[in-house]
Amino acid sequence: MHPRNKHRIYLDYRELAKKQTGLQPFVFENQWGGASIDYSDPDALEELTRALLAEFYDIRHWRLPKGYLCPPVPQRADYIHVLADLLQHSLHEMEPRGPSVCGLDVGTGASCIYSLLGTREYGWSFIASDIDETALTNAEKLLNENGLKERITLRQQQDPRRALRGILLPHEVVAFSICNPPFHETIEHARQAASSKWKRLGKELKRKNYQGQEPELCCEGGEVGFVTRLMEESAKVRFRSRCLWYSSLLSRHSSLQPIFERLGELGAKRRRFELQQGRNVKWVVAWSFFPRTERRKRLEEMLQTGRDGPNEVSAARAEGPRRPRAKTKVTKKSRKKGVTGYGLPEDLAWSRKRGSKESTRFG
């Protein structure tokens, strides 16, 4: 795990359940005398996630609609820390924290997990999008109950083949994008993958335990198809200067080569990171159309804007990567269906660790 990940140290579920009592019915003693839960039980997984978010991130009343994807908190936190390192690598003395550092959470889901973790760990703000109205309704409840509706803006994507168009407004430039794409090509592929996983663990797939709604699990071309469409959209003139670092999670090592090759054809600067937790390995691919000096300049301007006006989030007017950036302050949006606003910074601690230029592994 990443050096700043709060879940690096062994956690005894019995001790966690003493403080987060909703977990108690799901904790049992395994064959080695340690505490465990049944990871094939969706209710146990959801309660564990709720307990971790409450205990480590002060996220209260977290819940999911029935049948929606339950995220593994330690892995999602790793991705957040990787992006913080990526931003830090572009800076000298300033630290990439506070609400003036705004990220785009593509496909935030009902859990809103990346936006929640990013606000708690680094005080960032987010534009969080999804195509699923039920997911956004649930996410909005989570924000309301945790006082984050002024920090995280929810927007519904009407076109499932687009990630940026209709979400990023003409004046908005974000520091990064984060994405957990649908990994599978079909729902049958998702079922087979889940079945294989539980057989390796010595369990039978007695029910639908590939967890998640179909749009969360599969799409045309699977993760390679989804990320390729995102890359190609990001390379369009209107979007290549709207985000300092685009990124996405990948579940298969085989997906790296076609994605890296396409990024090279699009003229992007590319980075990749490996996230390892036990035997579970995922990858993050990030790309940018800005030269390094321009990325640093834009990011420093974002941070300076936050210092100059701590009660507002500022965004740059979208211009070409090498042109001077004009700054326009964004005020709170008028309330619409599924939309909230931005808000005040939170003074959270930061420790610095630079990653390599091409590949970093966190084990």
Side-chain angles (χ1 to χ4, degrees), residues 322-340:
R322 298 181 183 273
R323 294 171 58 190
R325 189 184 75 162
K327 291 183 282 187
T328 303
K329 291 185 178 179
V330 179
T331 57
K332 183 178 177 181
K333 312 292 187 302
S334 60
R335 186 171 181 81
K336 298 180 181 178
K337 187 175 183 181
V339 177
T340 55

Side-chain angles (χ1 to χ4, degrees), residues 75 183 249-251 273-276 280-284:
Q75 183 189 85
F183 292 149
L249 190 71
L250 296 173
S251 68
F273 303 85
E274 183 177 289
L275 312 181
Q276 182 173 6
N280 188 295
V281 183
K282 296 288 188 289
W283 294 265
V284 172

Side-chain angles (χ1 to χ4, degrees), residues 236-252:
K236 293 183 180 298
V237 173
R238 71 172 73 176
F239 294 120
R240 61 191 296 122
S241 61
R242 306 287 294 283
C243 178
L244 303 185
W245 280 109
Y246 290 99
S247 76
S248 181
L249 190 71
L250 296 173
S251 68
R252 306 172 196 166

Side-chain angles (χ1 to χ4, degrees), residues 266-279:
L266 294 170
K269 285 77 177 173
R270 304 161 291 179
R271 301 290 184 270
R272 59 176 176 265
F273 303 85
E274 183 177 289
L275 312 181
Q276 182 173 6
Q277 297 178 8
R279 293 183 296 177

Side-chain angles (χ1 to χ4, degrees), residues 1-228:
M1 292 189 193
H2 189 281
R4 290 194 299 278
N5 196 317
K6 293 176 178 177
H7 310 286
R8 285 178 61 86
I9 301 173
Y10 171 76
L11 177 65
D12 189 324
Y13 287 170
R14 288 168 295 206
E15 294 300 316
L16 178 63
K18 289 178 183 178
K19 294 179 281 187
Q20 304 296 330
T21 56
L23 186 61
Q24 289 179 358
F26 301 99
V27 177
F28 61 88
E29 185 175 304
N30 60 30
Q31 58 183 319
W32 299 283
S36 187
I37 65 168
D38 181 358
Y39 291 99
S40 68
D41 181 354
D43 294 333
L45 286 177
E46 184 173 338
E47 191 57 48
L48 175 61
T49 301
R50 184 180 297 112
L52 292 174
L53 290 173
E55 183 67 21
F56 290 94
Y57 303 99
D58 195 29
I59 298 297
R60 305 295 172 178
H61 311 293
W62 185 89
R63 59 188 177 275
L64 290 174
K66 186 174 178 60
Y68 277 72
L69 193 63
C70 186
V73 175
Q75 183 189 85
R76 300 303 191 253
D78 256 10
Y79 190 175
I80 289 289
H81 293 307
V82 162
L83 288 179
D85 285 347
L86 192 61
L87 296 177
Q88 182 63 65
H89 193 68
S90 298
L91 296 168
H92 291 311
E93 300 300 328
M94 302 177 77
E95 299 171 349
R97 61 183 178 94
S100 60
V101 177
C102 184
L104 172 62
D105 184 356
V106 178
T108 190
S111 70
C112 202
I113 187 67
Y114 288 126
S115 296
L116 292 175
L117 294 177
T119 56
R120 288 302 197 231
E121 288 289 78
Y122 297 105
W124 294 337
S125 61
F126 283 86
I127 299 165
S129 68
D130 207 285
I131 63 172
D132 188 323
E133 187 172 353
T134 299
L136 289 172
T137 298
N138 191 76
E140 186 172 25
K141 291 178 182 177
L142 298 178
L143 303 186
N144 289 337
E145 292 175 352
N146 286 279
L148 292 172
K149 65 180 182 179
E150 299 298 320
R151 188 72 65 83
I152 300 168
T153 301
L154 299 175
R155 295 177 185 168
Q156 186 168 7
Q157 173 59 265
Q158 302 297 330
D159 185 349
R161 293 185 61 83
R162 304 291 182 189
L164 308 176
R165 186 175 180 179
I167 298 300
L168 280 179
L169 302 181
H171 60 274
E172 291 173 331
V173 175
V174 296
F176 63 88
S177 75
I178 191 167
C179 178
N180 194 78
F183 292 149
H184 306 289
E185 289 79 6
T186 64
I187 200 69
E188 177 61 22
H189 189 278
R191 190 198 67 79
Q192 291 175 357
S195 179
S196 298
K197 171 185 174 181
W198 295 119
K199 283 181 180 179
R200 288 196 302 271
L201 297 175
K203 295 179 179 289
E204 291 294 328
L205 188 66
K206 297 180 181 179
R207 57 184 176 271
K208 174 196 166 187
N209 202 325
Y210 45 82
Q211 284 187 283
Q213 300 297 298
E214 187 168 338
E216 296 179 295
L217 299 172
C218 59
C219 67
E220 181 183 347
E223 64 183 14
V224 172
F226 186 98
V227 178
T228 297

